[in-house]
Amino acid sequence: MNVDQQLIDQLAHLSRLSFDAETGKEMVHDLNRILSFVEKLSEVNTDGVEPLIYMVEETNVLREDVVQLEITQNEGLKNAPKKDSDYFRVPRFVDSE
Amino acid sequence: MYKSLAETRSAIESGETTIEGLTRYYLQQIADKSSLNAFLEVFQQDALNQAIAADEKRKLGNPGKLNGMVIGIKDVLCYKGHKVSSSSRILEGFESIYTATAVQRLIDEDAVIIGRLNCDEFAMGSSNENSAYGPVHHHLDPNMVPGGSSGGSAVAVAAGLCLATLGTDTGGSIRQPASLCGITGLKPTYGTVSRWGCIAYASSFDQIGPMANTVEDCAIILEVIAGPDEHDSTMIQKPSPAYSQLLKSEGPVKIAYFKQYIESEGLDTEIKAYVLQLIEKLRAAGHTVEELEFPYLDYVIPAYYVLTTAEASSNLSRFDGIHYGYRSKNATDLESTYKLSRTEGFGKEVKRRIMLGTFVLSSGYYDAYYSRAQKVRRMLRDHTNNILNSYSFILMPSTPGTTFPLGGKSSDPIQMYLEDIYTVQANLCGLPAISIPMGQHSNGFPFGVQLVGGASKDSDMLAFAARLQNDFV
């Protein structure tokens, strides 16, 4: 696997991150190094092995669906960087026409 | 100062001190040793109020299980009305709107919560150098690292800034700094402690656990924080045992150790000699200690990094610059709000892991990396569980070496990742593991030895670890 600048740009967009020329170059270098390290996994014969996804044996841990007020609207808005009395404020993203 | 809850309790009983007096003492110690940078914030007034209330409860004859214990919490645990930041700029100024289950259970048993502890940003790191609020310094030498990610939690105990702390362990973040700072650190079986209110790094690996001077104190803290919680559906539903009442271990036990772990090139020769010597001592005392082959050593760190970065890239997508946390002033539209807030708010290692995680999950690479790592995880877990069907414990070094200089490994991510070579196996397999201080290296720094136990057999492991701590090291 060879990571190039184009792949870094694509991953950065998917990750909602951005890199300038210098940090992008560093990222190319670091990801190449880390990927060549983790590629060791390709030596393991995993034929017929199911992926391990859940770490506990419990299935369907359910509880009663009871209405409880745990967080108020005010608390929910408390840490927002921009808000008004009822809403999170975001930059305009639809045209006004 | 007192090294255990039992010592603290008897000093309080004899009238030598009070919990309030003790809390004031620790507050002073924290102020005097602020250059260690272990605490990001001290909850002075709340801690004193809790101390006064705890003294009162004791006088009334109904003390909680942790009455007398002054505890610090890693800066990834929510505590309502208090700041929490994951040592990241992206959460600067954030104040919790609810309390983590583990923290609430400590408070309910009279613990005094003295402050929040520095760590690697989002618990990603092995040296505590990735904190946005500066590195933590080793208590024995300010030029050396305490380990990570729970570096502040380890140093706070080792330097006597509080009696015990909570850390979190995703790949060794409790046990590795415990080893480097000469204290005891426990990672419980996955699903033992609720993750509600613990800021997530990699959800199928993360566990909260205690760090203290003794196995006994780790056991009593685990007893308080363990057990099912309706807010975390990934937990073991069986009630947890009274760990502190089950610390008796008698008779000979069967222990395995891995040839590949002991003969690994990266292992410090003195630590290797100590471990082999301990094995001989255990044999001389009548225990069975056998060498086994473990052919997967080279795959544990690669599997760990593929899986944890994948989970991290997903978990950290919640930091969007909109709902809470940092928002870039330079943003002009929605997309630049996301991108610039995250780019300016996250540190370098966090961005590296988000990028790697996004890569292994992306279309075209998912099967070759992510899915393959999940299969290797199953192989590792099944193989390890098979061993633990025949042996009670696996004994291994906690870390390949002692502490290292600040800046010594930070330029090479792979070198840093290898710090966790002995600790990630327990997280990959969901097993309990504990690091206890083993000795002092000729370089003057401490190091630990690690026991890994069977799934949900934390109690047996703690009992034998206490025996190891009291009789063998």
Side-chain angles (χ1 to χ4, degrees):
Chain A
M1 183 66 214
N2 185 43
V3 179
D4 56 16
Q5 190 58 49
Q6 198 192 339
L7 181 59
I8 291 294
D9 293 343
Q10 188 197 335
L11 293 172
H13 177 66
L14 289 171
S15 306
R16 298 296 183 270
L17 291 170
S18 56
F19 297 98
D20 58 22
E22 196 193 326
T23 52
K25 238 172 94 182
E26 263 179 41
M27 201 51 74
V28 171
H29 174 260
D30 288 351
L31 247 56
N32 271 317
R33 237 183 90 74
I34 297 169
L35 284 176
S36 65
F37 175 67
V38 303
E39 261 153 29
K40 193 127 186 81
L41 292 177
S42 63
E43 295 170 5
V44 184
N45 180 358
T46 57
D47 292 351
V49 179
E50 282 296 306
L52 179 59
I53 299 169
Y54 301 108
M55 295 310 292
V56 282
E57 303 296 319
E58 315 277 348
T59 48
N60 296 336
V61 176
L62 304 173
R63 59 177 165 80
E64 287 302 312
D65 188 16
V66 183
V67 178
Q68 281 178 336
L69 182 68
E70 292 189 335
I71 289 168
T72 64
Q73 187 183 26
N74 268 341
E75 285 172 330
L77 287 168
K78 177 178 166 152
N79 288 293
K82 260 189 135 177
K83 62 197 165 189
D84 57 28
S85 54
D86 287 315
Y87 299 103
F88 296 105
R89 295 296 299 262
V90 295
R92 177 182 296 278
F93 60 96
V94 285
D95 287 333
S96 47
E97 271 103 297
Chain B
M1 200 26 77
Y2 317 113
K3 290 288 181 203
S4 68
L5 182 60
E7 268 185 37
T8 307
R9 281 265 178 87
S10 64
I12 293 168
E13 290 302 325
S14 72
E16 201 177 291
T17 187
T18 60
I19 302 170
E20 185 192 348
L22 203 54
T23 303
R24 288 187 190 280
Y25 164 83
Y26 284 127
L27 289 167
Q28 190 59 50
Q29 287 297 302
I30 294 169
D32 290 349
K33 295 178 186 168
S34 61
S35 65
L36 293 172
N37 204 23
F39 278 87
L40 292 178
E41 186 184 0
V42 173
F43 306 140
Q44 179 148 341
Q45 200 49 54
D46 288 333
L48 285 169
N49 290 342
Q50 285 170 337
I52 292 163
D55 278 325
E56 205 52 43
K57 276 184 78 178
R58 190 189 65 81
K59 276 184 223 150
L60 292 170
N62 60 340
K65 283 182 183 173
L66 298 181
N67 191 278
M69 194 174 255
V70 177
I71 295 190
I73 56 175
K74 185 177 181 178
D75 188 39
V76 295
L77 298 171
C78 293
Y79 179 14
K80 189 172 181 172
H82 298 77
K83 291 196 176 83
V84 63
S85 76
S86 275
S87 292
S88 179
R89 288 278 172 226
I90 212 160
L91 278 173
E92 195 162 12
F94 178 91
E95 209 176 280
S96 296
I97 54 175
Y98 62 88
T99 299
T101 301
V103 175
Q104 189 59 52
R105 289 180 180 177
L106 295 179
I107 295 169
D108 292 345
E109 293 293 342
D110 295 359
V112 172
I113 310 298
I114 197 160
R116 60 187 170 100
L117 292 151
N118 203 348
C119 57
D120 282 299
E121 186 179 1
F122 286 100
M124 297 177 187
S126 307
S127 66
N128 218 122
E129 291 168 288
N130 295 337
S131 168
Y133 305 99
V136 176
H137 301 271
H138 197 284
H139 61 292
L140 297 176
D141 181 344
N143 298 314
M144 308 296 266
V145 304
S149 67
S150 313
S153 298
V155 164
V157 173
L161 309 183
C162 51
L163 184 61
T165 55
L166 288 188
T168 58
D169 193 316
T170 305
S173 281
I174 286 176
R175 292 160 287 149
Q176 186 259 5
S179 172
L180 267 45
C181 290
I183 65 161
T184 304
L186 165 69
K187 182 203 92 74
T189 297
Y190 183 84
T192 301
V193 181
S194 169
R195 292 182 295 109
W196 171 256
C198 171
I199 298 173
Y201 159 19
S203 306
S204 77
F205 292 76
D206 298 344
Q207 270 295 281
I208 299 170
M211 304 173 79
N213 287 302
T214 65
V215 174
E216 285 81 0
D217 280 3
C218 286
I220 182 80
I221 294 171
L222 181 63
E223 179 174 325
V224 167
I225 63 177
D229 172 21
E230 65 166 11
H231 290 115
D232 182 354
S233 64
T234 63
M235 292 190 70
I236 296 161
Q237 296 302 308
K238 214 176 126 196
S240 54
Y243 300 99
S244 70
Q245 307 301 309
L246 299 166
L247 288 172
K248 219 157 173 54
S249 161
E250 279 172 348
V253 299
K254 243 180 119 180
I255 302 170
Y257 70 95
F258 299 140
K259 183 168 173 240
Q260 283 80 356
Y261 282 30
I262 298 291
E263 283 175 7
S264 162
E265 247 177 67
L267 180 62
D268 179 281
T269 49
E270 237 177 271
I271 296 181
K272 176 180 172 178
Y274 260 93
V275 174
L276 291 172
Q277 210 184 339
L278 174 63
I279 289 168
E280 284 316 315
K281 274 204 239 174
L282 286 165
R283 282 178 179 150
H287 302 291
T288 303
V289 190
E290 289 176 352
E291 181 178 275
L292 300 184
E293 297 280 336
F294 189 78
Y296 297 112
L297 179 63
D298 288 345
Y299 308 111
V300 293
I301 297 271
Y304 170 79
Y305 273 92
V306 169
L307 296 170
T308 53
T309 56
E311 293 187 24
S313 76
S314 169
N315 273 325
L316 271 58
S317 64
R318 72 191 61 179
F319 297 98
D320 58 2
I322 290 169
H323 296 90
Y324 45 79
Y326 173 80
R327 179 186 292 195
S328 173
K329 303 273 176 291
N330 304 318
T332 52
D333 57 8
L334 196 60
E335 189 171 296
S336 65
T337 299
Y338 294 144
K339 284 189 175 172
L340 294 176
S341 301
R342 290 166 60 80
T343 299
E344 293 165 19
F346 288 136
K348 193 171 169 183
E349 180 63 21
V350 173
K351 285 187 261 195
R352 197 149 51 199
R353 295 199 196 188
I354 291 173
M355 289 285 282
L356 180 64
T358 303
F359 171 79
V360 301
L361 289 175
S362 60
S363 158
Y365 303 109
Y366 183 96
D367 287 338
Y369 292 91
Y370 184 63
S371 187
R372 172 170 284 272
Q374 287 183 315
K375 292 176 185 174
V376 172
R377 189 180 196 183
R378 180 181 296 279
M379 293 169 74
L380 278 168
R381 188 192 64 169
D382 290 354
H383 188 90
T384 309
N385 281 345
N386 274 338
I387 292 167
L388 286 163
N389 284 334
S390 313
Y391 297 84
S392 297
F393 313 107
I394 304 167
L395 181 78
M396 57 180 88
S398 302
T399 47
T402 56
T403 177
F404 47 92
L406 281 158
K409 295 188 181 182
S410 50
S411 60
D412 183 355
I414 307 280
Q415 270 307 101
M416 191 67 92
Y417 297 171
L418 289 171
E419 265 299 299
D420 293 330
I421 186 143
Y422 297 120
T423 45
V424 294
Q425 186 180 1
N427 305 79
L428 279 163
C429 304
L431 298 170
I434 189 167
S435 175
I436 62 172
M438 181 165 185
Q440 200 190 44
H441 194 276
S442 61
N443 65 17
F445 292 104
F447 59 92
V449 66
Q450 187 181 200
L451 271 183
V452 177
S456 288
K457 293 188 175 161
D458 304 53
S459 171
D460 294 346
M461 184 187 75
L462 284 163
F464 191 71
R467 200 167 157 194
L468 212 52
Q469 188 158 63
N470 297 329
D471 300 345
F472 288 92
V473 295

